[in-house]
Amino acid sequence: MTDNLKTYELAKERYAEYGVDTDAAINRLRDIEISLHCWQGDDVLGFESPDATLSGGIMATGNYPGKARNAEELRADMTKAFSLLPGKQRANLHAIYLEPGDVMVGRDAIEAKHFEGWIQWAGEQNVKLDFNTSMFSHPLADGYTLASYDKGIREFWIEHGRRCRRIGAEMGARQKSPCIINHWMIDGCKEPPVDRMRRRELFAEGMDGIIAEKLPPEQLRDSIESKLFGIGMESFTAGSAEFCFGYAMSRGAMLTYDMGHFHPTESIADKVSSSLLFIDKLLLHTSRGVRWDSDHVVVRSDDVDLLMQEVVRAKALDRVYIALDFFDASINRIAAWVIGTRATQKSLLFALLEPTDKMLAAEVAGDATLRLALTDELKSLPFGAVWNHYCDTENVPAGMDWLSEVRRYEKEVLSGRK
Ligand code: RNT
Ligand code: ZN
């Protein structure tokens, strides 16, 4: 018996004392897909032009060497990350990650053929694709897109959105699993605007224009992402939490909650049950804001644990899609994916290992003392042994063993990128 297995057997007994079946928790975790965001691999620059810069109120800081310079490198890097992750992943693309060939393709002219390389690769990797409209880092995304007062600008972005949906539907049809398309717009401004209402009306009209075409839900699902503020847009964001909630609910769309898009002490965990009473499905962007929406790499924290506990306790794993959204350019970018994905999965596992029935019984009986004692004691159970066993059963490195592989890849591949 290996050491990991021995430790697991002991851990299993410890959890059994609380009525928790660790094998069942592992099996449930195995089926939960996490959508790996391609944009961690190149600091959200994309492949439209080698001179691309990031704008739109978000920022990747750091200049760690070795970022992917083209789609082939990015796919190789993501493939490496996948090989170090247990469970199932999807790949999350932005429209700016197209492969246009030798021609310039405007965002209002993109087609599924520009993503053929990705679709092929996803098939080979047996991962499904998700998609995002890219309504930032563009001369026509100067403060406002759908909520612009300029009709031409609005129409440009509506056309972009429509095309993104068709691309997503094509991906969904080919992978036989709905492509989740996320709609996030930068629209907002630095100083308080006079007319918030008109901007939001325009935003809603623009979104309606984008989603007007009926596409089969087995191919494509739309989700709209709210936000509190962006850099240079501190005073107003058209797509606020209330706006997006109302929009998603009234249009039968999904709602995206990004962990970094609320006041620093406001947690999205509490929003899961509230939203799911009125909205069918949610998309969660796991991220980590430090003082602001800084998009640090996700690590285990109360925030992520509470979020996953809420999803599990609400029996909502099938109503929630989980995607990563962070971009750290100051550390090895493949390690960033691995750390962030594994942290998200660990929080899921922690939630699945909870003796929810026991805690609920205490709650119903009015025994808040027992509920609190259990809540705290769980943190000391041998969670790490269950996680390592899960990695072993998935044939991926347990513990920190993945890091040496990332270091080897850095030496052999990344260091050659200048
Ligand atoms: C921005 C949103 C959005 C982006 C990505 C690149 O604040 O979180 O989801 O991070 O789409
Ligand atoms: Zn996000």
Side-chain angles (χ1 to χ4, degrees):
M1 216 194 263
T2 63
D3 281 353
N4 275 356
L5 190 55
K6 264 188 245 162
T7 328
Y8 174 66
E9 293 298 337
L10 291 173
K12 191 173 165 167
E13 281 172 30
R14 289 282 286 120
Y15 275 100
E17 289 165 21
Y18 290 82
V20 172
D21 179 344
T22 50
D23 289 330
I26 286 177
N27 284 333
R28 187 67 190 88
L29 182 61
R30 227 187 281 287
D31 283 331
I32 302 174
E33 298 178 328
I34 310 271
S35 201
L36 210 79
H37 56 319
C38 75
W39 53 93
Q40 163 59 53
D42 77 329
D43 315 337
V44 211
L45 294 175
F47 307 130
E48 280 180 328
S49 142
D51 308 320
T53 53
L54 179 59
S55 66
I58 55 177
M59 198 159 77
T61 55
N63 55 1
Y64 199 85
K67 72 167 167 252
R69 296 163 302 180
N70 53 52
E72 245 163 63
E73 289 180 354
L74 186 52
R75 286 194 283 265
D77 293 356
M78 291 181 86
T79 306
K80 178 50 68 185
F82 287 141
S83 75
L84 301 170
L85 296 170
K88 290 187 189 154
Q89 281 76 47
R90 300 170 68 94
N92 205 0
L93 301 182
H94 245 285
I96 50 174
Y97 289 83
L98 79 174
E99 291 176 87
D102 293 334
V103 288
M104 270 288 289
V105 180
R107 293 205 200 159
D108 58 344
I110 54 172
E111 293 175 51
K113 69 176 185 209
H114 302 124
F115 294 87
E116 191 55 37
W118 285 105
I119 297 173
Q120 293 291 337
W121 166 81
E124 286 154 24
Q125 292 295 314
N126 197 21
V127 301
K128 314 283 192 278
L129 295 171
D130 295 315
F131 205 66
N132 295 258
T133 59
S134 301
M135 302 177 69
F136 55 92
S137 303
H138 191 280
L140 295 183
D142 185 14
Y144 291 98
T145 62
L146 295 181
S148 171
Y149 285 148
D150 181 322
K151 189 160 181 274
I153 292 180
R154 293 200 300 275
E155 281 171 357
F156 176 86
W157 290 114
I158 291 172
E159 185 59 24
H160 173 67
R162 286 183 178 145
R163 283 172 178 267
C164 285
R165 288 181 82 245
R166 284 195 203 133
I167 294 166
E170 167 81 17
M171 290 171 173
R174 286 172 60 183
Q175 68 198 14
K176 299 192 174 53
S177 162
C179 169
I180 310 302
I181 182 164
N182 187 49
H183 300 268
W184 165 65
M185 284 83 189
I186 60 171
D187 296 48
C189 60
K190 189 176 173 104
E191 295 292 348
V194 174
D195 196 347
R196 292 168 191 254
M197 184 67 99
R198 183 68 190 134
R199 292 292 187 184
R200 289 189 165 127
E201 262 172 19
L202 288 171
F203 192 5
E205 275 170 32
M207 273 304 300
D208 285 347
I210 289 178
I211 64 170
E213 185 176 5
K214 292 273 165 272
L215 292 166
E218 58 277 14
Q219 293 177 5
L220 183 82
R221 310 242 165 117
D222 296 284
S223 195
I224 182 166
E225 180 175 17
S226 74
K227 187 163 176 169
L228 182 61
F229 78 97
I231 299 177
M233 295 157 179
E234 289 85 357
S235 297
F236 172 67
T237 299
S240 62
E242 293 76 11
F243 176 94
C244 291
F245 193 102
Y247 190 84
M249 194 176 142
S250 57
R251 304 320 196 255
M254 288 171 38
L255 180 62
T256 305
Y257 280 130
D258 182 307
M259 296 183 69
H261 287 196
F262 296 85
H263 285 279
T265 58
E266 188 178 356
S267 150
I268 67 168
D270 184 53
K271 302 179 191 301
V272 171
S273 52
S274 311
S275 315
L276 285 177
L277 285 171
F278 305 102
I279 288 172
D280 188 31
K281 287 189 163 66
L282 300 177
L283 172 59
L284 304 176
H285 274 185
T286 61
S287 191
R288 179 165 55 104
V290 177
R291 299 190 185 275
W292 67 287
D293 179 26
S294 59
D295 289 289
H296 279 64
V297 177
V298 172
V299 290
R300 271 297 288 293
S301 67
D302 277 356
D303 270 356
V304 195
D305 280 359
L306 285 170
L307 175 61
M308 298 313 171
Q309 274 167 349
E310 278 305 307
V311 174
V312 170
R313 290 173 182 176
K315 301 194 175 22
L317 278 167
D318 297 332
R319 294 177 64 193
V320 159
Y321 294 91
I322 303 172
L324 311 167
D325 188 12
F326 47 79
F327 19 101
D328 190 338
S330 74
I331 60 172
N332 180 300
R333 293 171 184 79
I334 294 159
W337 271 316
V338 176
I339 294 165
T341 313
R342 287 168 75 120
T344 303
Q345 291 174 314
K346 283 177 188 167
S347 283
L348 275 163
L349 181 60
F350 188 73
L352 289 165
L353 288 170
E354 181 186 85
T356 312
D357 294 348
K358 272 202 170 41
M359 294 166 76
L360 186 59
E363 179 164 294
V364 172
D367 192 347
T369 311
L370 174 59
R371 185 184 59 188
L372 187 63
L374 274 170
T375 305
D376 206 55
E377 189 56 26
L378 292 179
K379 295 175 185 162
S380 309
L381 291 187
F383 168 82
V386 183
W387 169 258
N388 283 340
H389 178 66
Y390 172 52
C391 291
D392 283 347
T393 61
E394 288 280 310
N395 288 317
V396 299
M400 278 197 37
D401 295 351
W402 56 269
L403 188 55
S404 49
E405 184 52 29
V406 170
R407 297 250 197 255
R408 193 189 60 75
Y409 186 79
E410 174 161 26
K411 213 162 150 228
E412 288 172 12
V413 180
L414 303 182
S415 65
R417 297 179 189 167
K418 294 293 176 232

